[in-house]
Amino acid sequence: LYGSIVGVSFAFLVSAYAEVAQSLGGLERVFELWEPASETEVPVPTQLLKAGPGVSFREVSFSYPERAETLVLDQLNLDIPGGSTVGIMGPSGAGKSSIVQLILKFYAPSAGSIRIDDRDIQQVSTQELCSKVAWVPQEPLLFGFSVLDNLTLGNPLDACDIESKLKEWGFLDFVWELPGGLSMILGEHGTQLSGGQRQRLAIARALLRSPQLILLDEATSGLDSDLEEKVLSAVREALPTATIVIISHRLSSVKGANVIFLVNEGRVVEQGSHDELKSGSGLYGHYVRRQAVG
Ligand code: ATP
């Protein structure tokens, strides 16, 4: 939504506003979707990120302003290579989603630095981030509009082109079975769809924007493993040069990633490929044994 919201019609924004406010629970949070978190952002002419930007966190510490006494990220170091697929796993509350919130500039770190394609994130304008980064949260926002409008959010995309892309990706077959297909008007929050169908629509919405960096935060949690595999390979095929970040509690989601980061108590405690980590005595090995993945 953060990226897609830019450039949509005023009428859409007014309608969307109420939905966003309800979902996020308040006006302050809504404004963070449009405004940079830090007043120190230096305005620079739009300089487009290259395909598949790398992202690095150096000694990043972070607390949410409303709970300043709790350190959520604790001198965290993380290197996401440009164009790679990375997985992020770890216990609930470890700080995984907070990493994404910082990449999106919803908040600024309390200490340390974040670089995107070797530029300090403060030098990357919010506008540039909006145009190049897509974020798909676990519970995506859908609106009481048609399926098509939910997919485009007001962006001028051709319906025939969308239809052929959806068919090519092959994970949205349910759309053709809906009464009216792409024209069907969804209930508020997409209530006529299952959680997994809403997630698939949100992923398709993100792919249609051709982002260079896509952040999937538990974005396939409502899908069975066959469907999840189909969705993740469609993401890779649709965005061959993009950097893909997959946050998940499920090994099946991250197993194929180039690098998997294990986060615990606000720090990266292990990193490597599935094969490098699976037999270890650390957190990842523990997940492998618990989730019985070979
Ligand atoms: P999960 O796997 O359960 O989604 P996570 O690893 O993604 O967890 P985060 O959502 O990053 O964890 O949360 C890390 C910590 O920050 C938690 O203790 C959480 O309670 C706290 N937290 C998250 N969002 C906020 C917020 N908006 N305000 C204050 N504290 C927050």
Side-chain angles (χ1 to χ4, degrees):
L1 176 73
Y2 176 78
S4 308
I5 208 99
V6 172
V8 302
S9 70
F10 180 72
F12 173 80
L13 279 179
V14 171
S15 316
Y17 169 78
E19 300 258 357
V20 175
Q22 207 174 343
S23 292
L24 298 178
L27 195 59
E28 278 182 342
R29 189 70 187 80
V30 172
F31 282 146
E32 283 161 17
L33 293 175
W34 285 281
E35 291 184 356
S38 164
E39 289 177 1
T40 60
E41 178 177 12
V42 180
V44 289
T46 301
Q47 183 187 344
L48 297 183
L49 296 164
K50 285 180 285 184
V55 181
S56 68
F57 281 56
R58 280 286 161 274
E59 302 286 315
V60 169
S61 295
F62 172 63
S63 303
Y64 284 93
E66 49 278 52
R67 242 198 274 165
E69 71 288 354
T70 309
L71 203 54
V72 170
L73 300 181
D74 181 10
Q75 299 182 309
L76 176 130
N77 289 302
L78 179 75
D79 276 302
I80 299 173
S84 66
T85 298
V86 309
I88 302 182
M89 288 190 86
S92 192
K96 304 181 296 296
S97 297
S98 303
I99 291 171
V100 165
Q101 306 269 318
L102 294 186
I103 295 173
L104 293 165
K105 290 179 78 173
F106 289 172
Y107 298 93
S110 326
S113 67
I114 301 172
R115 298 181 82 78
I116 297 191
D117 251 358
D118 221 18
R119 288 161 61 199
D120 191 302
I121 197 165
Q122 296 302 331
Q123 307 292 326
V124 180
S125 70
T126 307
Q127 185 190 12
E128 183 179 354
L129 272 185
C130 285
S131 68
K132 299 296 162 192
V133 181
W135 168 52
V136 188
Q138 182 170 14
E139 289 174 18
L141 286 170
L142 293 182
F143 304 98
F145 304 148
S146 69
V147 173
L148 183 64
D149 286 343
N150 271 284
L151 284 167
T152 61
L153 285 183
N155 288 319
L157 297 170
D158 179 72
C160 294
D161 193 29
I162 289 178
E163 193 167 328
S164 69
K165 280 192 170 140
L166 299 190
K167 287 186 170 154
E168 181 189 319
W169 295 335
F171 62 84
L172 278 161
D173 296 348
F174 73 90
V175 168
W176 320 121
E177 281 149 35
L178 297 172
L182 281 173
S183 310
M184 183 179 135
I185 305 294
L186 296 180
E188 297 300 302
H189 304 291
T191 42
Q192 293 156 25
L193 302 177
S194 72
Q197 289 172 336
R198 286 197 291 274
Q199 288 188 330
R200 280 181 279 164
L201 271 190
I203 291 171
R205 174 162 76 195
L207 295 186
L208 287 169
R209 295 180 46 235
S210 303
Q212 293 169 4
L213 169 62
I214 183 166
L215 306 166
L216 302 171
D217 189 351
E218 291 283 355
T220 54
S221 60
L223 307 182
D224 64 52
S225 44
D226 288 343
L227 205 41
E228 178 186 55
E229 201 175 316
K230 201 175 212 179
V231 169
L232 293 177
S233 49
V235 169
R236 187 74 271 176
E237 273 168 39
L239 307 173
T241 60
T243 307
I244 301 172
V245 177
I246 304 168
I247 294 184
S248 180
H249 286 285
R250 276 157 53 176
L251 281 166
S252 57
S253 320
V254 302
K255 196 177 167 219
N258 304 108
V259 192
I260 302 156
F261 297 97
L262 279 298
V263 177
N264 197 11
E265 297 182 347
R267 285 172 171 254
V268 172
V269 292
E270 278 173 75
Q271 68 182 73
S273 67
H274 172 78
D275 284 339
E276 286 163 352
L277 298 174
K278 67 180 179 187
S279 316
S281 57
L283 205 46
Y284 194 79
H286 167 75
Y287 288 135
V288 169
R289 290 184 285 281
R290 286 290 296 271
Q291 297 185 27
V293 173

